[in-house]
Amino acid sequence: MVIYGVGLLAACMLVGVILGDLLGQLIGVQANVGGVGIAMLLLIWATNASRLKLLLVPPTATGITFWSAMYIPIVVAMAAKQNVLAAVSSGWLALIAGVAAVAVSFAMIPLLSRLGRRTHDQS
Amino acid sequence: MSTVVALLEKNALITAFVIVALLLAGSNWLAARLFRGQIHGSAIAITLGLLLAYWGGVSSGGSNGLADVSFFSGLGILGGAMFRDFAIVATAFGADLDALKRAGWVAAMSVVLGVVLSFAVGAVVAVAFGFSDAVSISTIGAGAATYIVGPVTGTALGADSAVIALSVAAGLVKAILVMVATPLVASRIGLDNPQAALIYGGLMGTTSGVAAGLAATDPKLVPYGAMTATFYTGVGCLLAPSLLYLLVLFLQRLF
């Protein structure tokens, strides 16, 4: 049934968010540490576990793939609710700090990619 | 007419489905006809969404872009953190576990490096603009990480509310720029495989920026970038008000 897939997805997200929050409290941070990332790992584990494979007959999987396909529309809605006005009208300091942070981070991607590839070749 | 509008507002989330569907349909049409497939339809839709958000902010005076215009309030639900995170988790279905394992430590390193780099850049800009107290410098530096790390750090250190507002603005600029610029620079920075996406997510860190940036570049890369990005804000909230703040204090005493 489709709802099994949706339920599994929802359960993974809730467990992940709870664990992320606990992790945040554990290290004394006022933020959720990797809750969504933990939820993703849980979902990957659950959908690969042989005992749960029986659950993932086609209609059940549809309950997950539907939400995966809704990702782009949700992101478009998210873009439409950003506080663009505040970002654009807050003056040069915020603009320069934001733009410079993005530029430096973009520039680091090829460097780290190469580093990752090299260590992988050695091992 | 007014009853129709009232009904649409009452069914806000359903209205949002129609609006986003129309927006994506129009964007895909533009992508095929005007840009001949050179720009993703979703990249156009995200840019249009941001432009509409600017208009929404101007016309409503609120802080939620188009979602503050009551007719469009459903966009706030559909585009809110709950549905966004739910859809991000769903993209992990079918992700390549080996790619995650292989990237392991480089991905983890990219998160820490991303926080430190953005913080440093933000702090330098703050100094260049004449800020001289360590609390303000650190708060603006933290804001250049994400718009959540900024206020969390500012509150923890007792920063001025105007400085906290600046840090949020810096984080917003970063998120929006990541959304728009990622598809444009993707091929130049080699963002076309799972490992690069893991590193990209860790370096950028803004969940919304990464989510939209990858959606407009290659949706298959979304789970990898989103995975590392979700750890960024937590690491930022851990490092910025503690270690990085102490570093700013130390450097200040040095000069």
Side-chain angles (χ1 to χ4, degrees):
Chain A
M1 277 170 71
V2 172
I3 187 64
Y4 294 161
V6 182
L8 177 67
L9 174 60
C12 286
M13 167 149 162
L14 291 176
V15 173
V17 171
I18 290 168
L19 287 176
D21 209 70
L22 284 175
L23 192 59
Q25 286 179 19
L26 206 68
I27 54 178
V29 183
Q30 297 158 287
N32 191 294
V33 180
V36 174
I38 298 168
M40 293 166 94
L41 290 174
L42 276 173
L43 184 70
I44 295 174
W45 169 80
T47 50
N48 284 307
S50 54
R51 203 177 298 171
L52 293 168
K53 268 240 162 83
L54 287 172
L55 278 175
L56 284 180
V57 286
T60 310
T62 314
I64 303 174
T65 49
F66 171 77
W67 285 104
S68 176
M70 279 300 283
Y71 174 76
I72 287 178
I74 285 172
V75 162
V76 171
M78 177 195 76
K81 67 157 282 197
Q82 298 293 311
N83 196 354
V84 180
L85 180 62
V88 180
S89 58
S90 55
W92 286 107
L93 189 153
L95 275 177
I96 294 175
V99 170
V102 173
V104 170
S105 304
F106 271 142
M108 286 301 292
I109 293 173
L111 291 174
L112 277 182
S113 290
R114 218 168 299 149
L115 196 66
R117 220 171 295 137
R118 192 174 310 152
T119 49
H120 178 59
D121 290 344
Q122 281 166 357
S123 58
Chain B
M1 188 63 199
S2 64
T3 45
V4 172
V5 172
L7 272 173
L8 292 181
E9 284 174 12
K10 201 173 153 193
N11 297 291
L13 181 59
I14 312 299
T15 308
F17 287 144
V18 177
I19 294 166
V20 173
L22 290 175
L23 196 60
L24 269 165
S27 302
N28 283 329
W29 184 84
L30 278 176
R33 289 291 156 82
L34 204 59
F35 298 102
R36 295 175 196 282
Q38 292 195 317
I39 300 179
H40 259 272
S42 39
I44 297 171
I46 288 162
T47 311
L48 285 177
L50 290 169
L51 289 174
L52 288 169
Y54 178 81
W55 173 79
V58 172
S59 64
S60 73
S63 61
N64 292 313
L66 196 60
D68 279 333
V69 181
S70 63
F71 178 73
F72 296 105
S73 62
L75 290 173
I77 310 171
L78 185 62
M82 182 171 71
F83 274 129
R84 183 198 65 191
D85 291 347
F86 195 55
I88 288 177
V89 175
T91 63
F93 185 57
D96 183 6
L97 200 55
D98 287 332
L100 287 177
K101 281 184 193 151
R102 240 179 293 143
W105 73 270
V106 188
M109 204 178 78
S110 71
V111 175
V112 177
L113 194 68
V115 169
V116 175
L117 268 181
S118 291
F119 182 94
V121 169
V124 166
V125 174
V127 172
F129 271 80
F131 283 95
S132 55
D133 63 301
V135 171
S136 298
I137 294 171
S138 301
T139 303
I140 293 168
T146 74
Y147 56 78
I148 297 171
V149 182
V152 166
T153 304
T155 312
L157 298 177
D160 189 68
S161 69
V163 172
I164 293 182
L166 268 181
S167 79
V168 174
L172 279 173
V173 171
K174 182 183 183 184
I176 290 165
L177 189 63
V178 170
M179 290 181 200
V180 179
T182 301
L184 302 176
V185 298
S187 63
R188 215 169 304 162
I189 57 176
L191 183 56
D192 56 7
N193 60 79
Q195 196 199 16
L198 280 160
I199 293 169
Y200 160 83
L203 281 172
M204 297 300 157
T206 144
T207 311
S208 39
V210 166
L214 286 177
T217 307
D218 181 0
K220 277 196 287 294
L221 299 177
V222 167
Y224 309 103
M227 175 80 72
T228 40
T230 63
F231 285 90
Y232 187 97
T233 291
V235 171
C237 292
L238 177 68
L239 292 180
S242 56
L243 209 63
L244 293 173
Y245 169 66
L246 291 175
L247 198 68
V248 171
L249 272 181
F250 174 74
L251 287 173
Q252 211 175 22
R253 206 155 302 159
L254 220 60
F255 295 108

